[in-house]
Amino acid sequence: MEYLYLKKEIEKNSCDFSIFIDALNNTRDDLLNMIIKSNLLGRGGAGFPTGKKWSFVKDKNDVIFICNADEGEPGTFKDRYILENNPDYFLQSILISAYILNSAEIYIYIRGEYLKAITNMKNSMLKNKKYIDILSEKLKKQVEITIVEGAGAYICGDETSLINSIEGKRPNSRIKPPYPADKGLFNNPTIVNNVETIANIPLIIRDKENYLKIGTENSRGTKLISLSGAINKPGVYEIELGKITFRDLIYNLGEGIRNNNKFKFLIPGGISTEILVESELDTIISHDSLKKASSALGSGAVIVADDKVDILDVAINTADFYMHETCGTCFPCKEGNRQIHYLLEKLKEGKGKKEWFEIINDIEKTTTNAARCGLGQSVGKLISSSMKKLAHEYNKYIVG
């Protein structure tokens, strides 16, 4: 049974902004302490504690608040679900967050292809302008919300690249420090969060102690899962962190593998995470459990592959994606991705050599250690893990 909590709010298709009004009766410090106490980890991929991030700008002025709705991770569509089905609820979430952060300058960076989501958010802002004005009065400064349409750069999943994009620059990652909380957009202190993370804020404030009973000790709440691939019932599911396994997700919620094919592997959190195979299906879905399994929850994009899928094809597609999406700033990432793609293509042609696996693993380690953003640090995780766990499938392409 899927756990309805955030989904229950989204599927109402409306919002009376009552949580926002109630929130304004609390001090910003009290609300921030609620977020810190909730142990809400970021739902966009990195899993950084939201309250801790917000505390970095607690005493700063002119804080800029950015919502990352670009959702560039392959297999992820949960944020789109929120924006398309209940933009009013999400606007309420934005306003509450902006109040806590004392931020009157807000940007919503939405994937350019999300036409319905963009239209819905614009309409919601017009329809609910009175609540924006209420926040302006509370903060004693005019609140401005700007929607920025992304041009399809995966690198904008890195917050410094996204900041450069909003500034009209090429979306290259920035060297840190300085961190965005100190010098971000237009050199102002800046906080960037993804859609699902922000959408949890009203629930934390409304439910207070009850929220602390959901999830795990290190990560409270629920998680939206984008389930796709060789599955009978793909879609957006909400699960309580730490309560169900990937086997439950696939065979109960997802109703099993399509066409009665055999399960081969799954990608648990987008292509920037390590694969899990049959023997790991009983891994519990939580940040801690996946870390023990040497993988990560990431954005919650679970892609299921059956026995009809060639793992080498998946690896080549992954390498091709990263080769095109790297910003090119870090040489190990730029050249490393090209070399990985080249070697995998040659392997597919039946010209592979056993030592190439060691070379690919060395490149993956180099990019992980040398790249300055999350893209470069995760380019080889899926590929290296698949070469280890499904070595027999790669070995059939080796000729020398």
Side-chain angles (χ1 to χ4, degrees):
M1 201 59 190
E2 65 178 312
Y3 192 93
L4 293 177
Y5 193 59
L6 177 56
K7 279 192 76 173
K8 184 177 180 180
E9 298 303 316
I10 302 305
E11 291 177 356
K12 287 179 180 177
N13 301 119
S14 63
C15 176
D16 61 7
F17 287 77
S18 59
I19 307 175
F20 167 64
I21 299 301
D22 289 343
L24 296 183
N25 294 321
N26 293 269
T27 67
R28 292 175 45 243
D29 284 349
D30 285 345
L31 294 174
L32 177 58
N33 286 333
M34 287 183 199
I35 307 306
I36 294 172
K37 188 178 179 181
S38 74
N39 286 335
L40 173 67
L41 300 187
R43 301 301 198 239
F48 192 83
T50 304
K52 184 176 181 179
K53 177 187 278 192
W54 288 12
S55 68
F56 296 153
V57 298
K58 178 176 177 289
D59 299 316
K60 295 181 180 179
N61 297 317
D62 301 319
V63 175
I64 296 176
F65 181 43
I66 301 175
C67 166
N68 186 354
D70 193 51
E71 200 165 40
E73 182 68 49
T76 311
F77 43 89
K78 62 185 177 59
D79 293 346
R80 178 181 181 178
Y81 159 79
I82 293 172
L83 296 172
E84 289 187 351
N85 287 283
N86 200 338
D88 293 349
Y89 174 83
F90 185 64
L91 178 61
Q92 174 182 235
S93 306
I94 285 277
L95 296 180
I96 296 172
S97 303
Y99 170 58
I100 298 172
L101 294 167
N102 193 27
S103 175
E105 189 171 354
I106 304 163
Y107 291 84
I108 306 176
Y109 191 94
I110 304 183
R111 186 179 182 89
E113 294 90 341
Y114 283 4
L115 300 179
K116 183 178 179 181
I118 293 169
T119 299
N120 285 0
M121 284 309 303
K122 287 180 177 179
N123 289 339
S124 180
M125 287 161 55
L126 289 172
K127 181 177 68 173
N128 298 295
K129 186 178 180 300
K130 65 179 180 180
Y131 297 110
I132 300 174
D133 292 339
I134 289 172
L135 180 60
S136 298
E137 184 177 342
K138 186 70 175 180
L139 296 180
K140 295 182 172 57
K141 46 190 174 182
Q142 184 60 48
V143 173
E144 297 289 344
I145 303 178
T146 303
I147 291 180
V148 179
E149 297 181 26
Y154 177 72
I155 188 66
C156 285
D158 165 68
E159 58 187 21
T160 63
S161 302
L162 182 149
I163 287 168
N164 275 339
S165 177
I166 295 176
E167 289 183 354
K169 301 172 184 174
R170 193 173 188 272
N172 292 351
S173 62
R174 295 182 180 181
I175 294 174
K176 295 178 284 190
Y179 293 93
D182 296 317
K183 281 189 176 182
L185 187 62
F186 306 123
N187 286 323
N188 288 319
T190 303
I191 291 295
V192 183
N193 288 112
N194 109 299
V195 172
E196 185 186 353
T197 306
I198 298 168
N200 271 273
I201 301 302
L203 304 178
I204 294 170
I205 293 169
R206 184 191 68 189
D207 294 345
K208 297 181 178 67
E209 296 302 323
N210 287 333
Y211 192 91
L212 299 181
K213 299 175 183 177
I214 303 170
T216 68
E217 183 177 352
N218 295 324
S219 180
R220 295 300 178 189
T222 63
K223 181 75 185 76
L224 295 183
I225 300 294
S226 305
L227 181 62
S228 65
I231 202 81
N232 282 320
K233 192 179 176 185
V236 176
Y237 293 89
E238 183 179 13
I239 60 99
E240 182 177 358
L241 288 166
K243 291 298 186 290
I244 75 166
T245 66
F246 283 100
R247 191 181 302 276
D248 296 326
L249 177 68
I250 292 172
Y251 292 100
N252 292 332
L253 299 182
E255 298 183 0
I257 308 298
R258 67 187 176 193
N259 301 323
N260 292 317
N261 292 336
K262 289 183 64 179
F263 170 87
K264 178 180 282 188
F265 68 91
L266 65 82
I267 303 168
I271 65 170
S272 58
T273 60
E274 297 87 340
I275 70 166
L276 300 181
V277 293
E278 174 75 38
S279 61
E280 299 170 298
L281 274 180
D282 291 316
T283 300
I284 294 173
I285 305 176
S286 73
H287 292 86
D288 292 339
S289 295
L290 278 161
K291 187 176 181 180
K292 288 179 182 177
S294 299
S295 191
L297 184 56
S299 63
V302 179
I303 305 172
V304 179
D306 60 19
D307 58 350
K308 306 301 180 183
V309 174
D310 188 326
I311 187 58
L312 181 54
D313 288 338
V314 175
I316 290 172
N317 286 339
T318 300
D320 180 72
F321 177 83
Y322 280 123
M323 184 176 68
H324 285 93
E325 293 298 334
T326 175
C327 73
T329 302
C330 305
F331 182 79
C333 180
K334 176 184 177 182
E335 186 60 22
N337 280 299
R338 192 177 71 83
Q339 291 297 331
I340 290 175
H341 185 264
Y342 172 79
L343 292 174
L344 291 175
E345 285 278 20
K346 289 297 181 183
L347 196 65
K348 184 70 174 179
E349 293 171 9
K351 302 174 182 178
K353 298 182 179 179
K354 193 170 185 178
E355 58 264 30
W356 287 4
F357 295 148
E358 185 176 348
I359 293 172
I360 291 173
N361 281 321
D362 284 345
I363 294 173
E364 187 267 328
K365 291 176 183 176
T366 301
T367 55
T368 297
N369 292 320
R372 70 188 191 195
C373 85
L375 184 150
Q377 293 163 9
S378 59
V379 292
K381 293 186 183 302
L382 184 153
I383 296 168
S384 290
S385 63
S386 68
M387 288 193 304
K388 178 183 178 181
K389 296 177 180 180
L390 297 172
H392 62 284
E393 292 208 15
Y394 284 94
N395 289 338
K396 67 184 180 183
Y397 291 100
I398 295 175
V399 295

